[in-house]
Amino acid sequence: MSYLVWLIPVAILMGITALVAFLWSLRDGQYEDLDGAAARILVDEDRPIREQNA
């Protein structure tokens, strides 16, 4: 029973931390362009890698 004394506050703290991280990512714009990364991988660039680095 004594493990509940510290287990419940730790679980609540972890939940609050996850909620804050999720709200921060929403406010930061992480979910604005969900299809952009999927479409970007299909773009074929004709330039060789050597020219891109120069």
Side-chain angles (χ1 to χ4, degrees):
M1 193 66 161
S2 66
Y3 61 90
L4 289 178
V5 173
W6 62 270
L7 188 62
I8 291 174
V10 168
I12 291 172
L13 183 65
M14 287 174 62
I16 290 171
T17 304
L19 180 64
V20 167
F22 175 70
L23 292 175
W24 174 70
S25 69
L26 274 178
R27 199 167 136 207
D28 197 38
Q30 292 291 320
Y31 301 107
E32 299 252 337
D33 184 20
L34 297 177
D35 296 326
R40 234 179 329 219
I41 198 161
L42 299 175
V43 174
D44 185 26
E45 295 184 9
D46 293 333
R47 295 178 298 183
I49 294 174
R50 291 181 194 165
E51 290 179 9
Q52 289 178 358
N53 292 335

